[in-house]
Amino acid sequence: MPELPEVEVTRRRIAPFLVGKRLVELKTTAPSYFFVTPPDELRKRLPGLCFTALERKGKYLLATLSDESHLLLHLGMTGQLFADGASNPRLLRKTGRAALTPGLEVGFRPDAHTHLEFHMDSAPVVFFRDTRKFGKVEWLAPGAVSKRLSKLGPDALEAEPEGVHASFRRRSVAVKTALLDQSVLSGAGNIYADECLFLAGVRPNRSANRLTLQQTRRILAELRRVLERSIETGGSSISDYVAPDGLDGGYQDERRVYARAGEPCLVCGSAIKRVVLGQRSTHYCSVCQK
DNA sequence: AGACTAACCTGAAAGC
DNA sequence: TGCTTTCAGGTTAGTC
C-alpha cells in the first residue's frame, strides 16, 4: 500500500484521532524487527503525553509529542494505521465484534500483527498493524535528529527539477532505480515510478545520468501529477479507512502500466512489458516510452 | 561515493 | 487435496 499518496491519506485521516489528544496507555507486541525503539521503552515513555502534530516526510509519518519528543512511523509494505470503528470490511470480517473503545458497537479486535495500540483520552483506540513487520516505529528524544529522516532527499511533491537533475547526473543506474532512491527524491515507490515514466514517455532502463534537464522536468511534473491525483482519489474513497491493499484503493482504476503486463497499452494498444530493474518489477510500453 | 546483493517477514496465489 | 514456488506498494547492512 504505502507510497507517498497512501501515507498522506493515512496522515489526513488519522490526525484527527491523535492530534490534540492525550495518550493514556500504549500496548505493544513483543520486541521484533518492527521496533527500532524497544517496545518496553515506548510503553514507558509515551503514556501521559499529548500528540501536538502529525507530519509526513516522504513515506514517513512524524508525530510530535507535548514534551517535544517525536514518534517516527513507517508503514513498510503492509503497515496499516487506523482508528477503532473504522469501516474496513476486510479488518472487521477477520477480527470484528465488540470494540475496545467504549461506546463503539463494532470495532477492531487486535491480532498477532497489531503491534501498537494507542489508547487515547476520550477518542477511539488507534491501531498500527503490520503483518510483514517491514514497518518501523522509532521514538526520538527532544532535540534528537533521526538518521532515517536526515538522509531523505526533497519531497516528491516539492522537489526542484534542477536539484534532482544534479542528483541524476551522479547516478549511473536506471532512471527507475534513481526514482526509487529516497535520498534522491522522497515519496515515489514502485507504482508511481512506473506510472510517471510512462506518462513522461521515458523508458525505465534509461540511464539516469544521461537524461536532459528537460526530461527530468517532464518526469517530475508527471510524478507530481499522479501523486496528487492519487491523493485525491484516496481521499474520496469510502468512509474513513485506508484500504489495507492498495489495489483496493481509488487509484487502481487509473493505472496505465503498473501490474498490467501483457495487457494493451491504453495509448497505442501494444502489450505492456514487465522486466526486473533493481530487484523491482517494472512495467512499461516499449512503443510509447523511448 | 555509488552500485549491487542479500536479508528482514508473512500470506496469498499460482503451479504441480 | 496438499505441497512447493513465486510474488508483493520498502528499506538497510554489508561488500566491492
Side-chain angles (χ1 to χ4, degrees), chain A residues 171-242:
Chain A
R171 315 253 159 187
S172 60
V173 294
V175 58
K176 158 76 182 274
T177 303
L179 283 172
L180 293 181
D181 184 335
Q182 303 295 297
S183 69
V184 170
L185 185 73
S186 60
N190 212 25
I191 295 177
Y192 302 105
D194 281 4
E195 293 296 314
C196 79
L197 289 173
F198 173 78
L199 291 168
V202 175
R203 287 248 184 134
N205 65 354
R206 289 281 300 281
S207 185
N209 61 10
R210 301 231 295 263
L211 294 175
T212 63
L213 176 58
Q214 212 49 247
Q215 291 172 314
T216 304
R217 275 187 208 287
R218 179 80 192 280
I219 291 168
L220 287 185
E222 298 296 354
L223 176 59
R224 187 167 172 165
R225 214 177 101 208
V226 294
L227 294 176
E228 284 174 346
R229 172 62 186 154
S230 180
I231 291 171
E232 240 178 80
T233 59
S236 66
S237 73
I238 308 159
S239 147
D240 57 359
Y241 83 94
V242 174

Side-chain angles (χ1 to χ4, degrees), chain A residues 34-286:
Chain A
F34 174 83
F35 291 97
V36 176
T37 302
D40 56 345
E41 188 179 347
L42 295 176
R43 291 196 305 267
K44 193 179 68 185
R45 310 203 96 118
L46 297 179
L49 299 174
C50 289
F51 287 91
T52 59
L54 184 64
E55 301 166 272
R56 182 187 57 75
K57 305 282 184 186
K59 299 177 197 172
Y60 288 90
L61 288 173
L62 182 67
T64 306
L65 295 152
S66 45
D67 67 348
E68 299 300 311
S69 67
H70 292 90
L71 196 62
L72 185 64
L73 304 173
H74 196 290
L75 298 174
M77 293 274 265
T78 52
Q80 307 167 317
L81 189 61
F82 56 96
D84 204 4
S87 55
N88 182 328
R90 186 175 302 210
L91 291 172
L92 288 179
R93 199 185 317 129
K94 191 182 279 183
T95 59
R97 280 213 321 259
L100 291 183
T101 305
L104 284 183
E105 281 192 20
V106 177
F108 173 73
R109 176 70 55 89
D111 59 5
H113 304 302
T114 309
H115 304 298
L116 296 174
E117 292 177 29
F118 298 91
H119 291 254
M120 311 302 292
D121 187 17
S122 62
V125 181
V126 170
F127 300 101
F128 192 149
R129 185 169 181 273
D130 183 8
T131 53
R132 287 177 77 182
K133 300 194 193 101
F134 285 178
K136 290 278 174 285
V137 57
E138 179 177 17
W139 178 77
L140 301 163
V145 178
S146 164
K147 186 182 141 202
R148 288 161 205 274
L149 287 189
S150 56
K151 55 184 194 189
L152 289 185
D155 194 272
L157 289 181
E158 293 163 7
E160 299 292 343
E162 291 77 10
V164 174
H165 186 240
S167 289
F168 278 179
R169 292 187 59 175
R170 275 178 255 121
R171 315 253 159 187
S172 60
V173 294
V175 58
K176 158 76 182 274
T177 303
L179 283 172
L180 293 181
D181 184 335
Q182 303 295 297
S183 69
V184 170
L185 185 73
S186 60
N190 212 25
I191 295 177
Y192 302 105
D194 281 4
E195 293 296 314
C196 79
L197 289 173
F198 173 78
L199 291 168
V202 175
R203 287 248 184 134
N205 65 354
R206 289 281 300 281
S207 185
N209 61 10
R210 301 231 295 263
L211 294 175
T212 63
L213 176 58
Q214 212 49 247
Q215 291 172 314
T216 304
R217 275 187 208 287
R218 179 80 192 280
I219 291 168
L220 287 185
E222 298 296 354
L223 176 59
R224 187 167 172 165
R225 214 177 101 208
V226 294
L227 294 176
E228 284 174 346
R229 172 62 186 154
S230 180
I231 291 171
E232 240 178 80
T233 59
S236 66
S237 73
I238 308 159
S239 147
D240 57 359
Y241 83 94
V242 174
D245 175 348
L247 293 183
D248 287 341
Y251 192 75
Q252 175 203 357
D253 304 332
E254 303 188 22
R255 281 174 302 130
R256 275 104 168 161
V257 288
Y258 182 80
R260 293 194 65 242
E263 295 174 39
C265 169
L266 301 176
V267 172
C268 76
S270 64
I272 299 298
K273 303 214 154 137
R274 176 186 181 277
V275 295
V276 174
L277 272 184
Q279 311 177 96
R280 312 300 302 277
S281 85
T282 298
H283 315 77
Y284 68 99
C285 171
S286 56

Side-chain angles (χ1 to χ4, degrees), chain A residues 12-33:
Chain A
R12 293 179 188 182
R13 289 179 181 175
I14 209 66
F17 298 101
L18 293 176
V19 177
K21 315 282 184 190
R22 197 170 73 93
L23 180 65
V24 176
E25 187 188 5
L26 180 71
K27 293 188 178 176
T28 74
T29 49
S32 73
Y33 189 69

